[in-house]
Amino acid sequence: MWYRKLLEVQKSGDLQLVGLIQEQHPERCRLFMAWKQMRFPILVDALNRASVHAIPMMWALDEKGVVVRTRPSMDWLREEFLPRKSVAKNGAENAASRPALRRVEEGAGVRAYLAGRWTEAVKAFARDCAARPSDGVPFFRLGCAYRARFDSAEREEADFQNAIDAWTQAIALSPANYIFRRRLQQYGPRLSKPYPFYSWVAQARREMKARGETPPPLRVEPKGSELAAPLRGDLPAASAPEKEPDPKAGVPSDDKDSVAFEAVLAPRPARLGANLAVHLIFRPSLARGTTWDNGAGPLQVWLAPHKGLRVAHRLWTHPLPKQASTAEERSIDFELALPKESASPLFLRGYALYFVCEKKSGLCTFLRRDFKIEIPLQKPKSKKGSGG
Amino acid sequence: MNKPSEPSFRRMVRLVALGLFSFLLPSPLQGQSIPPRQGEAFPLLRFPLLGGKKGETRTLAAWRGHKVLLIQFASW
């Protein structure tokens, strides 16, 4: 592992390791560091203010903070960089010999994001997007702010989908930026994933517990597409016929919104002939005091895809927790393969069935939620120029 | 119809002048859209410190006087 090699290099002289991470959920990196027993300070750059385009990246900085080399090799660090005489004796600064600092403009959005004022950050980045519609940076940051608000107590409707939309636009404007690309891939279909993103989390926790250590907690658990392995080739088909759970629509409809429902598509707009990740999110209503009645049965989703759309399964069942009653958010994540051509708009229809209890009335009921999700499509590219 | 060819010296002077002019012009990529390059001071941006106290931030100035290897990576 690169960290072990760096520790060896560090023994050759005075070298401070400093990490820089662009992850949306930095505490996941904290768990990773604890698992791998990596001990050096980490700076969190979720908005990619360092303007990194590729990963991984390294900078060797001299005692004055000047970049001596980018992507240095271990040999260069050991043989040239560390033995090199200090450019600033005792850390003293010589302003005349120091290259000018690049001026980095940081607007209200960055300040609000760093202070955790998500709504203010969303508004400021949205203004930046309007002012610089051909620049991917504000769109990327807008996506980060929406997703941060989605993960907070201030969540507003469509925050997650708005994040996906903004990241999709950021990549359309800056297709070579891997930081932007990875953020969308985190929530996108397996076909576009280079590797599973957070499948290591379970292993890290197991191994740390076996060592007698307490893994640092995660504020947002990775799930669905964040854990999925990449897929090469077509979506696998269901091995056995699947039985529709409520074909005659006999289960009463959840007209009172005991459970809030949200569908998120990634990427959006989607591309014909490509796969799309679908996240169906169900949240028991806080106002009504709704809880999942786990003793009665699981949350199930039945899909009736529009002609030409393909899914691996039509019936999806959310695993049941051990407790009889819980109120957590649940998500059914799956992929949808789009046809290569379509003359008409595409829709995904289906319904969810769930058992819930309401604190106010004390009633426990079996309910049904029907949905019809439109799948916006990318405009076909003109043959002349790619318009990336 | 073909254009008469320019004398090669004048052509060369034009090319050199154009090259110099392009070299002196700031690159359109300069600014905040490219990562710091060799010979540049890394911008003193204030970043939150992972695992630090709430609101705790650092700039790279915290390690001035030391050789620093700044490693950008991700847990995935």
Side-chain angles (χ1 to χ4, degrees):
Chain A
M1 192 201 172
W2 55 267
Y3 177 58
R4 304 278 165 239
K5 287 182 188 167
L6 280 175
L7 285 183
E8 285 302 310
V9 172
Q10 218 179 2
K11 285 177 190 165
S12 327
D14 172 28
L15 181 68
Q16 172 68 51
L17 304 182
V18 180
L20 183 71
I21 58 159
Q22 273 86 23
E23 288 178 69
Q24 179 74 28
H25 303 102
E27 71 281 359
R28 295 179 184 177
C29 186
R30 195 175 166 207
L31 172 63
F32 181 82
M33 299 275 293
W35 172 42
K36 296 286 183 188
Q37 297 174 314
M38 293 160 75
R39 291 180 189 92
F40 55 88
I42 299 284
L43 304 174
V44 178
D45 184 19
L47 296 175
N48 193 20
R49 293 151 66 215
S51 306
V52 181
H53 286 199
I55 42 174
M57 181 75 187
M58 283 192 200
W59 296 267
L61 310 179
D62 69 16
E63 294 85 343
K64 290 179 179 177
V66 176
V67 179
V68 181
R69 185 166 286 202
T70 55
R71 299 178 192 280
S73 69
M74 299 287 168
D75 287 343
W76 179 85
L77 287 170
R78 194 185 298 110
E79 290 159 22
E80 287 188 46
F81 187 54
L82 290 180
R84 186 179 289 192
K85 219 174 168 183
S86 170
V87 292
K89 259 188 186 173
N90 305 321
E93 297 278 342
N94 178 355
S97 66
R98 194 174 60 197
L101 275 175
R102 184 194 293 172
R103 222 172 120 244
V104 176
E105 299 282 347
E106 299 224 289
V110 170
R111 287 194 296 276
Y113 188 95
L114 293 180
R117 299 192 302 267
W118 311 125
T119 299
E120 203 180 313
V122 162
K123 285 180 184 167
F125 289 136
R127 282 196 301 272
D128 292 347
C129 291
R132 290 146 55 199
S134 56
D135 184 357
V137 173
F139 287 93
F140 173 74
R141 293 177 178 176
L142 178 63
C144 297
Y146 270 126
R147 177 67 209 201
R149 192 169 70 179
F150 174 82
D151 290 324
S152 77
E154 298 164 37
R155 182 194 291 196
E156 289 188 17
E157 204 182 330
D159 272 349
F160 186 14
Q161 184 65 68
N162 286 334
I164 297 289
D165 295 356
W167 288 329
T168 307
Q169 182 64 8
I171 293 169
L173 294 167
S174 311
N177 191 312
Y178 270 74
I179 301 296
F180 298 179
R181 192 168 288 277
R182 291 285 185 268
R183 198 64 60 91
L184 187 61
Q185 283 169 341
Q186 189 173 333
Y187 302 104
R190 289 174 293 162
L191 204 60
S192 64
K193 277 186 199 301
Y195 36 71
F197 277 58
Y198 291 104
S199 58
W200 56 266
V201 167
Q203 188 190 350
R205 284 175 172 155
R206 260 195 325 272
E207 290 183 12
M208 286 188 71
K209 280 178 188 165
R211 294 201 303 244
E213 297 165 19
T214 307
L218 297 187
R219 202 171 51 81
V220 180
E221 281 294 320
K223 52 188 170 189
S225 58
E226 294 183 277
L227 303 169
L231 174 74
R232 301 288 170 253
D234 282 342
L235 281 181
S239 52
E242 295 171 292
K243 195 179 168 198
E244 185 173 353
D246 186 29
K248 292 182 181 169
V251 178
S253 176
D254 183 6
D255 295 329
K256 291 177 184 168
D257 288 335
S258 293
V259 173
F261 170 75
E262 192 177 346
V264 177
L265 309 176
R268 192 177 85 161
R271 191 164 47 84
L272 281 171
N275 283 14
L276 178 70
V278 181
H279 308 265
L280 303 181
I281 300 167
F282 300 87
R283 272 200 306 167
S285 163
L286 272 178
R288 302 183 69 84
T290 310
T291 53
W292 301 111
D293 183 5
N294 298 327
L299 160 72
Q300 287 194 308
V301 167
W302 177 258
L303 302 174
H306 191 272
K307 204 178 170 187
L309 295 174
R310 283 183 303 109
V311 285
H313 297 276
R314 296 184 73 182
L315 183 63
W316 296 81
T317 303
H318 193 277
L320 272 175
K322 286 176 188 163
Q323 301 93 319
S325 172
T326 52
E328 79 284 8
E329 178 180 291
R330 292 183 177 177
S331 173
I332 298 274
D333 302 313
F334 56 91
E335 282 176 39
L336 197 59
L338 304 191
K340 287 186 178 152
E341 287 174 1
S342 178
S344 54
L346 295 171
F347 293 95
L348 173 66
R349 290 171 197 270
Y351 58 88
L353 299 172
Y354 39 79
F355 298 89
V356 290
C357 295
E358 282 195 9
K359 201 176 178 182
K360 274 185 184 170
S361 62
L363 275 177
C364 289
T365 45
F366 186 31
L367 296 172
R368 171 175 169 137
R369 158 84 67 163
D370 286 82
F371 55 82
K372 179 186 175 188
I373 305 158
E374 186 179 358
I375 301 162
L377 296 171
Q378 281 180 20
K379 285 175 192 162
K381 284 177 183 174
S382 61
K383 283 180 184 172
K384 279 182 189 175
S386 63
Chain B
M1 204 165 79
N2 288 338
K3 268 176 130 182
S5 62
E6 284 181 294
S8 59
F9 178 73
R10 272 174 70 187
R11 204 178 194 176
M12 220 167 78
V13 168
R14 275 187 181 186
L15 270 173
V16 169
L18 188 69
L20 265 176
F21 183 66
S22 321
F23 181 75
L24 292 171
L25 267 180
S27 153
L29 281 174
Q30 272 179 355
Q32 61 181 102
S33 64
I34 51 165
R37 291 178 298 198
Q38 202 166 312
E40 290 182 348
F42 204 97
L44 286 183
L45 298 165
R46 192 159 280 284
F47 294 109
L49 187 70
L50 186 68
K53 288 176 196 158
K54 199 179 175 191
E56 189 178 358
T57 58
R58 288 271 194 290
T59 73
L60 283 170
W63 297 282
R64 282 283 163 83
H66 296 276
K67 286 173 181 152
V68 170
L69 185 64
L70 184 62
I71 310 152
Q72 181 264 340
F73 72 104
S75 68
W76 32 260

